[in-house]
Amino acid sequence: MGGKFKTSYKGDMALFQTLWVKVWLGILAAAIVVCPQFLSTYQISILNEMAIAIIGALGLNLLIGYTGQISLGHGAFLAIGAYTTALAAGELNLPFIVTLPLSGFMAALLGMVVGVPALRLKGLYLALGTLAFGFIVDYILFHWDLTQGDMGMAVNPVQIGSWSVQTEKEFFYFIACFAALATLCAKNIARSKIGRNFIAIRDRDIAAEAMGISLAKYKIMAFGLSSFYAGIAGALVAHYQKWIVPGSFDLSLSIAYIAMIILGGLGTVLGSILGAILITGIPHGIIYATDVAKESYPALSGLIVDFKLGIFGLIVVLALLFEPQGLAGIYRRAKVYWKTWPFKY
Amino acid sequence: MLRIANVTMHFGGIAALQNVSLDVMPGGIYSIIGPNGAGKTTLFNCISGIYRARSGSITFKGKELIGTKAHKISQMGIARAFQNIELFKGMTVLDNLMSARGFLHHYGLLAATLYLGRCAREERKCRDRVEEVIELLDLQKCRKTPVGALSYGVQKRVELGRALTMEPEMVLIDEPVSGMNLEETEDMARYILDVNEERNITVLLIEHDMGLVMDLSDRVTVLNFGVKIAEGSPDEIARNPEVISAYLGRQQS
């Protein structure tokens, strides 16, 4: 058992179980702090995208992975977050520290409204219901005067007190803090009674009810929580991109998020993070590969650009075929393997 | 303690329960027996609020249960161990047991996100209580095992344990030893007695294993085609001619 012996329940329930875990996390934190110094602006921008995706994926995993409620409307909640902060900052001149939580709560509120039909709908029917919600949000953003439809709208830069977040590097530190906080909160929720109730509803809803868990309360809470995460992610996207159009929050974004949590591992916090990194990273990886191939095979590179989406899809399908538990499953197996290495039991 | 009066329940044209009445006194082990399809599990489902009886009344400590939401009924102190294992497959044994205590915690979402103060305190207390049940049912070895990886007999025990962690006053146990071998059956019988005597939990039991029912029960009710045909002490039931012809079977001579 790796020589871990605990003498109290407190120790057994701690988030960071061993000294090694703390050491590794410390190294990771140090790497995050140091790495922007060695990376190009383009590379940092990839990390920024990933960090935002992590926040959104954590939220969606709480809903789909933990509670088992399928949603195709995650992109719409990101849009609500993005447009809430854009409008609140642009029209009402509210400071960022107000608009960011406002985005989260706005999305959470609408998420809870969407959650109400989830009390009746299950599985594919629920997916269809949330899909319809996505279309409604899309329609409103395209046709509402304030959001300027297809034209898009500008978003004020982030300003906290006298500090204004401008460069990629500043944004990186800024967003990394949020991603870390989001991860910590998700992990805490998952190991508390709320996470257990979510999983109970996913695994056996009738038994969950017989164990005194109110399905209505916790399903709606899951929707609210997931949308809150999406709203925060959306607000960060808006401030990061500085210009938002409805088209970037459509169905394909929702599906990309679903791909993240499925590839990463449903119902695990680590899976959301790995999945977000992978799905955000793949397109950049393909671009990188194309650049390399351009030197020696100019004809091939043209093809790769055409097939970019196809290659992306292929990677997703292959990953699902060979590792249905996602990246978190691979990690789990590797951990067990190394625990007893070099012995095979 | 639990009073069921003239409960009737139909599925389409079939009467699953017809004017069933029974009275469970606090403290004992009360068994319900009957052939397959007699309406035993339906009666449990009516008590725990999964089905809504068409007429009649079910009261627990004077409060009407018909029309009360299922999760409220369990919070009133009626726990349930299901016949077909209905555990939360994605969780470990420990989490399964802890999941049933959710309603006993009084911290909210905000406390949970920070996992500080009240949340951490209550989680630790919860763990303490759950460990008592783990000890009672000898589940120490598989605490951190995912439920899906356990054998059928152990899963049945976890199912009972999950009901117990709710700290109920009454537990409904549906066929705890179906599909078990003799040894496992004896173990389960001992656990049920422990639950009843040590923890003072009233047990309402459905079981086909006559040996178990006759040995454990203080009182037995027999259902047949949704109708109650007899009630009495195990000895009375074993001698009742109607019960013998409906369920126990006549001895060939």
Side-chain angles (χ1 to χ4, degrees):
Chain A
M1 288 272 115
K4 279 185 289 178
F5 298 106
K6 284 136 194 153
T7 48
S8 71
Y9 296 141
K10 189 180 175 185
D12 198 32
M13 291 160 80
L15 191 54
F16 310 118
Q17 296 260 348
T18 59
L19 185 66
W20 274 113
V21 174
K22 285 178 195 160
V23 169
W24 280 116
L25 274 173
I27 292 172
L28 180 68
I32 288 173
V33 171
V34 173
C35 75
Q37 310 302 332
F38 305 103
L39 297 175
S40 69
T41 311
Y42 166 66
Q43 284 162 333
I44 298 174
S45 79
I46 298 175
L47 291 181
N48 285 341
E49 269 181 59
M50 286 175 177
I52 294 175
I54 285 172
I55 300 174
L58 283 169
L60 192 62
N61 215 342
L62 282 174
L63 183 66
I64 298 185
Y66 281 90
T67 323
Q69 309 295 308
I70 298 176
S71 164
L72 282 173
H74 208 59
F77 292 114
L78 266 104
I80 290 166
Y83 275 92
T84 304
T85 191
L87 289 172
E91 304 285 322
L92 306 171
N93 281 320
L94 292 172
F96 176 76
I97 10 177
V98 178
T99 62
L100 182 75
L102 190 68
S103 300
F105 285 118
M106 187 61 127
L109 189 72
L110 287 165
M112 291 196 282
V113 173
V114 174
V116 173
L119 306 179
R120 299 253 162 208
L121 303 177
K122 270 185 189 173
L124 292 175
Y125 299 95
L126 180 60
L128 211 59
T130 51
L131 181 68
F133 174 75
F135 286 139
I136 293 170
V137 170
D138 237 22
Y139 182 85
I140 292 173
L141 295 181
F142 268 114
H143 294 270
W144 194 16
D145 293 339
L146 276 177
T147 57
Q148 299 171 27
D150 231 356
M151 282 254 303
M153 61 187 295
V155 186
N156 298 350
V158 176
Q159 184 93 34
I160 301 169
S162 59
W163 181 49
S164 130
V165 184
Q166 293 286 0
T167 63
E168 287 286 347
K169 214 181 274 180
E170 284 173 327
F171 247 107
F172 174 76
Y173 290 121
F174 181 67
I175 297 176
C177 291
F178 280 103
L181 189 66
T183 308
L184 182 69
C185 291
K187 191 83 195 166
N188 279 340
I189 291 169
R191 69 195 179 119
S192 72
K193 76 161 181 188
I194 292 168
R196 287 195 299 268
N197 289 357
F198 284 171
I199 300 177
I201 291 171
R202 176 193 72 191
D203 285 354
R204 288 265 184 227
D205 51 357
I206 290 182
E209 226 179 349
M211 298 303 133
I213 298 167
S214 163
L215 297 188
K217 182 178 163 192
Y218 283 95
K219 276 186 184 176
I220 288 182
M221 190 189 281
F223 266 96
L225 205 56
S226 143
S227 313
F228 184 84
Y229 269 85
I232 297 289
L236 291 173
V237 167
H239 285 289
Y240 175 60
Q241 293 182 342
K242 301 190 180 70
W243 189 272
I244 46 174
V245 286
S248 53
F249 300 104
D250 58 0
L251 181 61
S252 62
L253 183 67
S254 306
I255 291 175
Y257 271 108
I258 290 179
M260 283 176 206
I261 60 169
I262 292 178
L263 269 185
L266 286 171
T268 59
V269 169
L270 180 70
S272 330
I273 296 171
L274 296 178
I277 290 173
L278 185 72
I279 295 284
T280 326
I282 288 177
H284 295 290
I286 294 173
I287 291 170
Y288 177 74
T290 323
D291 280 351
V292 172
K294 211 185 276 173
E295 307 288 313
S296 34
Y297 307 102
L300 190 72
S301 69
L303 268 179
I304 292 178
V305 171
D306 287 341
F307 287 120
K308 210 174 97 178
L309 217 61
I311 295 171
F312 180 79
L314 191 68
I315 293 174
V316 172
V317 170
L318 287 179
L320 285 182
L321 271 180
F322 291 110
E323 194 48 62
Q325 289 197 326
L327 296 172
I330 298 179
Y331 170 76
R332 217 175 292 137
R333 254 187 292 128
K335 204 167 84 175
V336 170
Y337 178 82
W338 286 111
K339 218 178 213 172
T340 54
W341 190 86
F343 307 107
K344 284 226 159 130
Y345 52 83
Chain B
M1 189 178 197
L2 181 75
R3 173 166 285 149
I4 298 171
N6 299 317
V7 164
T8 300
M9 177 86 201
H10 293 270
F11 293 113
I14 301 162
L17 291 173
Q18 264 180 322
N19 282 325
V20 173
S21 301
L22 50 95
D23 222 333
V24 183
M25 291 300 165
I29 297 180
Y30 194 111
S31 292
I32 300 172
I33 61 172
N36 287 322
K40 306 181 298 291
T41 302
T42 306
L43 185 64
F44 268 22
N45 281 341
C46 287
I47 297 171
S48 54
I50 293 168
Y51 295 157
R52 195 188 171 130
R54 176 175 290 194
S55 66
S57 100
I58 303 176
T59 51
F60 180 66
K61 293 192 292 179
K63 287 200 198 88
E64 180 62 51
L65 298 186
I66 294 177
T68 310
K69 290 231 168 68
H71 67 270
K72 290 268 187 270
I73 291 176
S74 43
Q75 291 178 9
M76 284 162 73
I78 303 182
R80 169 115 188 236
F82 288 90
Q83 172 185 9
N84 308 314
I85 296 165
E86 305 267 358
L87 293 170
F88 308 128
K89 291 238 158 58
M91 287 194 245
T92 61
V93 171
L94 194 60
D95 280 342
N96 259 285
L97 297 181
M98 287 176 75
S99 70
R101 294 178 58 89
F103 71 95
L104 295 167
H105 296 211
H106 296 291
Y107 63 84
L109 180 60
L110 199 66
T113 54
L114 302 173
Y115 210 86
L116 290 171
R118 194 170 201 177
C119 171
R121 247 190 343 265
E122 291 202 15
E123 287 286 317
R124 270 206 295 285
K125 205 180 88 192
C126 166
R127 176 70 190 270
D128 220 26
R129 287 285 133 74
V130 165
E131 290 292 339
E132 286 170 16
V133 173
I134 288 178
E135 210 164 307
L136 183 79
L137 300 180
D138 293 323
L139 289 167
Q140 292 94 332
K141 264 189 226 160
C142 52
R143 235 185 234 123
K144 298 255 169 109
T145 319
V147 176
L150 294 171
S151 71
Y152 179 80
V154 182
Q155 288 195 14
K156 277 274 190 192
R157 231 188 295 159
V158 178
E159 179 80 50
L160 176 63
R162 188 178 60 174
L164 295 182
T165 49
M166 299 175 69
E167 296 182 7
E169 288 174 54
M170 173 183 268
V171 58
L172 316 179
I173 308 178
D174 199 345
E175 299 201 16
V177 300
S178 63
M180 282 189 172
N181 64 27
L182 194 62
E183 197 184 339
E184 287 171 323
T185 304
E186 282 173 359
D187 283 344
M188 186 57 90
R190 191 143 304 135
Y191 294 135
I192 292 173
L193 280 176
D194 281 350
V195 166
N196 182 240
E197 284 164 12
E198 282 181 28
R199 303 205 125 210
N200 265 325
I201 298 172
T202 311
V203 175
L204 194 56
L205 180 74
I206 292 179
E207 186 46 61
H208 283 298
D209 186 320
M210 271 314 115
L212 185 88
V213 170
M214 294 306 174
D215 286 348
L216 294 185
S217 312
D218 297 313
R219 211 164 170 77
V220 181
T221 279
V222 189
L223 290 181
N224 193 22
F225 293 112
V227 182
K228 177 170 152 182
I229 55 174
E231 182 181 356
S233 69
D235 287 343
E236 288 164 15
I237 295 296
R239 276 184 270 114
N240 187 319
E242 207 178 339
V243 176
I244 292 171
S245 71
Y247 186 48
L248 299 177
R250 228 177 286 280
Q251 200 140 41
Q252 299 283 319
S253 55

